[in-house]
């Protein structure tokens, strides 16, 4: 039976959750999508039918950024229910599980694309935090190409003749701050036009899982020939993302015209990248966004005034 003290604590938690959800302009369905829950679960918590868990509170805090108020209310619920303080869970095995990264939040992402000498080079840096209650041992990434998005048949023929392969990308990944460690790369699925992989928080020398509450920087980079990519650079938001910076670096001599568009970014109706001079005769086009909703899709597109090879698309998570 639920005590009056526990009921009061759960009511206070629900009120704070609802208040911050409303302040952020999110429906229950939108909040659920950003947290990785079914929409009905948010309703159950707000109507007191479900007791909030630590993982639920951490994910809600990561998305709503309440300044710790949601976590504080959860602690009151835990204490009122007489539950022990959560202990840091440590797994005895180290087999990477693709389900665990659902507890990750991207606090900051910087994705840069550079064109030079017939190649596009991509570098992605993400500050990630584990808001769950178990260690995270891997991080999923997907590289997806489509040179002719408006002509799928032409694209299929192109990649059937020149399939995308990890060995051709010169792909590398690392994790850490001052002295980052190389990450093991494992392909989980591939086709002619995409490669799915997981980046393991470990290598032949060491294992370094991301424990609950910890954050780290994950960096990966690769390059592809310009002949295999379309003239667009896209981010699909698959984890709660607090800040995103996308940059495209192109030779000034090509006279590029770069625009930005959102396929599903709530609250944005027309936004454009800034333009600044770069090194070695390049121009850098930069787009900065904050507090993106899960499933948002942000795209930079360009065209050249001078004849030049087509660009590319990155749908990596």
């Amino acid at each position: 039976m639920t005590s009056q003290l526990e009921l009061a604590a759960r009511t206070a938690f629900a009120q704070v959750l609802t208040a911050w959800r409303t302040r952020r302009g999110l429906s229950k369905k939108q909040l659920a999508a950003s947290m990785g829950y079914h929409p009905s679960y948010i309703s159950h918590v707000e109507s007191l039918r479900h007791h909030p868990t630590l993982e639920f509170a951490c994910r809600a805090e990561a998305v709503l950024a309440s300044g710790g108020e949601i976590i504080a209310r959860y602690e009151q619920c835990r204490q009122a229910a007489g539950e022990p303080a959560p202990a840091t869970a440590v797994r005895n095995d180290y087999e990477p599980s693709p389900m665990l990264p659902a507890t990750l939040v991207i606090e900051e992402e910087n994705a840069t694309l550079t064109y030079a000498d017939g190649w596009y080079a991509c570098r992605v840096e993400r500050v990630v935090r584990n808001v769950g209650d178990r260690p995270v041992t891997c991080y999923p990434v997907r590289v997806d190409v489509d040179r002719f998005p408006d002509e799928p048949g032409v694209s299929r023929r192109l990649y059937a003749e020149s399939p995308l392969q990890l060995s051709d990308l010169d792909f590398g990944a690392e994790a850490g701050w001052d002295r980052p460690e190389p990450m093991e790369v494992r392909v989980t699925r591939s086709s002619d036009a995409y490669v799915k992989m997981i980046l393991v928080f470990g290598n032949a020398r060491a294992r370094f899982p991301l424990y609950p509450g910890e954050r780290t920087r994950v960096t990966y980079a690769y390059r592809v020939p310009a002949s295999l990519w379309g003239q667009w650079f896209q981010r699909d938001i698959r984890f709660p993302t607090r800040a995103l910076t996308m940059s495209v670096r192109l030779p000034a001599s090509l006279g590029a015209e770069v625009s930005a568009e959102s396929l599903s970014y709530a609250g944005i109706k027309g936004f454009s990248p800034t333009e600044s001079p770069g090194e070695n005769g390049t121009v850098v086009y930069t787009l900065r966004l904050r507090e993106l909703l899960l499933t948002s899709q942000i795209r930079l597109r360009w065209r050249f005034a001078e004849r030049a090879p087509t660009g590319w698309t990155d749908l990596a998570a």
Side-chain angles (χ1 to χ4, degrees):
M1 177 179 291
T2 303
S3 68
Q4 290 297 318
L5 182 62
E6 182 180 355
L7 181 60
R10 286 172 58 181
T11 300
F13 179 91
Q15 291 173 341
V16 166
L17 179 68
T18 302
W20 278 99
R21 176 175 62 77
T22 303
R23 184 178 303 183
R24 298 302 184 198
L26 299 177
S27 66
K28 294 177 184 178
K29 184 176 181 179
Q30 289 173 321
L31 177 59
S34 295
M35 292 174 59
Y37 282 89
H38 191 277
S40 64
Y41 198 92
I42 305 297
S43 296
H44 290 326
V45 172
E46 291 191 357
S47 62
L48 309 184
R49 290 191 294 272
H50 280 355
H51 188 288
T53 64
L54 174 60
E55 184 166 317
F56 179 90
C58 288
R59 292 197 197 186
E61 175 63 32
V63 174
L64 299 175
S66 73
E69 187 175 1
I70 291 174
I71 300 298
R73 293 297 186 185
Y74 164 77
E75 278 297 305
Q76 293 177 356
C77 290
R78 180 188 64 76
Q79 294 173 9
E83 299 175 356
T88 299
V90 178
R91 295 175 59 188
N92 294 325
D93 63 288
Y94 195 82
E95 185 61 24
S97 168
M99 298 302 294
L100 291 181
T103 65
L104 290 178
V105 169
I106 299 175
E107 296 187 338
E108 181 180 358
E109 172 176 336
N110 289 279
T112 302
L113 171 71
T114 302
Y115 170 72
D117 302 324
W119 289 83
Y120 281 92
C122 178
R123 180 179 176 85
V124 178
E125 296 183 0
R126 296 188 177 116
V127 177
V128 299
R129 180 161 58 96
N130 182 358
V131 299
D133 58 3
R134 293 181 293 169
V136 170
T137 58
C138 64
Y139 184 85
V141 168
R142 171 173 174 152
V143 177
D144 198 341
V145 296
D146 190 353
R147 180 173 175 180
F148 304 105
D150 298 324
E151 300 177 84
V154 177
S155 279
R156 283 195 296 269
R157 289 193 295 272
L158 170 65
Y159 298 115
E161 297 174 358
S162 303
L164 189 68
Q165 298 184 42
L166 183 64
S167 59
D168 297 331
L169 300 179
D170 194 22
F171 189 97
E174 59 185 18
W177 299 101
D178 297 331
R179 302 179 65 181
E181 286 276 358
M183 301 180 75
E184 180 182 336
V185 179
R186 300 184 185 179
V187 175
T188 59
R189 189 174 180 181
S190 64
S191 74
D192 291 343
Y194 72 80
V195 178
K196 289 183 178 181
M197 65 199 88
I198 59 173
L199 309 182
V200 180
F201 285 98
N203 51 48
R205 190 189 66 82
R207 300 297 189 185
F208 38 92
L210 188 63
Y211 289 100
E214 292 184 344
R215 58 170 53 84
T216 192
R217 176 179 286 114
V218 172
T219 303
Y220 64 88
Y222 57 94
R223 67 173 194 161
V224 292
S227 60
L228 292 181
W229 301 81
Q231 290 181 227
W232 48 300
F233 178 32
Q234 181 172 312
R235 273 289 291 119
D236 288 0
I237 306 302
R238 296 191 174 100
F239 299 104
T241 300
R242 306 292 291 277
L244 169 65
T245 300
M246 299 173 62
S247 298
V248 176
R249 187 185 303 270
L250 302 170
S253 60
L254 297 180
E257 295 182 6
V258 182
S259 61
E261 62 182 352
S262 169
L263 307 183
S264 59
Y265 186 50
I268 296 293
K269 297 182 179 179
F271 52 105
S272 59
T274 60
E275 182 178 331
S276 61
E279 300 176 349
N280 302 319
T282 62
V283 179
V284 181
Y285 305 87
T286 303
L287 183 68
R288 293 183 175 87
L289 299 172
R290 297 188 61 84
E291 304 298 343
L292 291 93
L293 296 178
L294 202 66
T295 72
S296 296
Q297 295 176 307
I298 314 300
R299 179 184 295 175
L300 293 177
R301 304 187 68 132
W302 60 90
R303 62 180 181 177
F304 298 110
E306 299 294 333
R307 184 175 179 84
T310 52
W312 74 301
T313 173
D314 173 21
L315 300 184

